[in-house]
Structure formats: structure tokens, C-alpha cells
Amino acid sequence: MKFARRLYAAAAIYGLLLITPMYFTEAQIGQSDPPAITHPEYFYGFIGVTLAWQLVFLLIARDPVRYRPIMLAAIGEKISYGIAALVLELRARVSPVIGMFGVVDLLIAALFLLSFCLMRPEGVAHADTPATA
């Protein structure tokens, strides 16, 4: 449980530090990596949803056993961006930096999966635990 707490807390802090400043970078992105953002609702929507997920990670970090089922959705969140970023980078549609962030998300997804597998739901009998009458 300690591993899950630390992992999800670290993932949340990483995400908050990485994503929050993006609220102030729309114009800069348009200048440094043209063309300019043509659909700001998608840009700001991505930031908002991503920040909401960081709050979910903090929630999981507080009580991993209770929120274990949500870990599956958290894995899906990381995989969806990771795969998209890598595919776009391989097709030369985004910069290699975006591909690198995709790899980081896939690594976090793998750690989330490991955390999920290591967590035992309470009250469930396992093969290595003797049954009690």
C-alpha cells in the first residue's frame, strides 16, 4: 500500500507541475511550434481534464485500497495519451518531445498496473492465504 500511495502522489505532483503552467502558454505554443492553436476549447479542455485526473490520483494516494477499482481508469488515462503521443510522433505530426512525454505516461501506466496487481482487495481469499472457518 505504501508503494501505491507514493506512486499516485508522485504522479499527481508531476502532473500538476507539468500541466498547470499550460494555461498560460497558448500564445507561446503558437509562436514556438506553429501553427497557432485553432481550437482553444480542445486545448483548454485537455488541460482541465488532465488536471482533474491529477486530483483523482491524489484521492487514490490517500486510500489505495478503497479506490483500487479507479486504478483501472487511471491506467486507461495514461495509456490513451501515451499511445496517441507515440503514434503522432512516429508519424512526424508532433515533436519528439511529445513522444517522450508519451513514453513517460506509458511508464507511469505500467507502474499503475503493477500497483493495482500488488494491492489485495480486503475480504478476498487468495491461494496463498489459508481459509478460516
Side-chain angles (χ1 to χ4, degrees):
M1 187 158 73
K2 194 180 286 190
F3 172 72
R5 283 186 175 171
R6 289 180 179 166
L7 172 64
Y8 277 91
I13 292 166
Y14 164 77
L16 288 168
L17 291 173
L18 186 71
I19 298 298
T20 304
M22 288 181 70
Y23 272 120
F24 310 102
T25 62
E26 179 188 357
Q28 178 190 4
I29 290 171
Q31 292 173 356
S32 63
D33 195 14
I37 294 169
T38 59
H39 293 281
E41 67 275 19
Y42 296 137
F43 177 74
Y44 291 107
F46 166 80
I47 295 169
V49 169
T50 303
L51 287 176
W53 270 104
Q54 306 322 298
L55 299 178
V56 172
F57 298 161
L58 287 173
L59 185 68
I60 294 169
R62 290 196 59 154
D63 193 349
V65 173
R66 179 177 181 190
Y67 296 112
R68 183 176 184 265
I70 300 172
M71 290 179 181
L72 295 173
I75 294 165
E77 183 268 345
K78 289 296 178 190
I79 289 173
S80 67
Y81 179 77
I83 290 174
L86 275 179
V87 168
L88 289 170
E89 198 272 325
L90 290 171
R91 293 183 175 181
R93 295 187 61 198
V94 296
S95 74
V97 171
I98 300 299
M100 179 196 68
F101 284 116
V103 170
V104 171
D105 267 23
L106 291 175
L107 175 62
I108 294 170
L111 292 171
F112 282 2
L113 179 60
L114 175 63
S115 175
F116 177 82
C117 292
L118 291 174
M119 297 290 299
R120 282 189 184 185
E122 291 182 22
V124 176
H126 294 278
D128 61 347
T129 306
T132 58

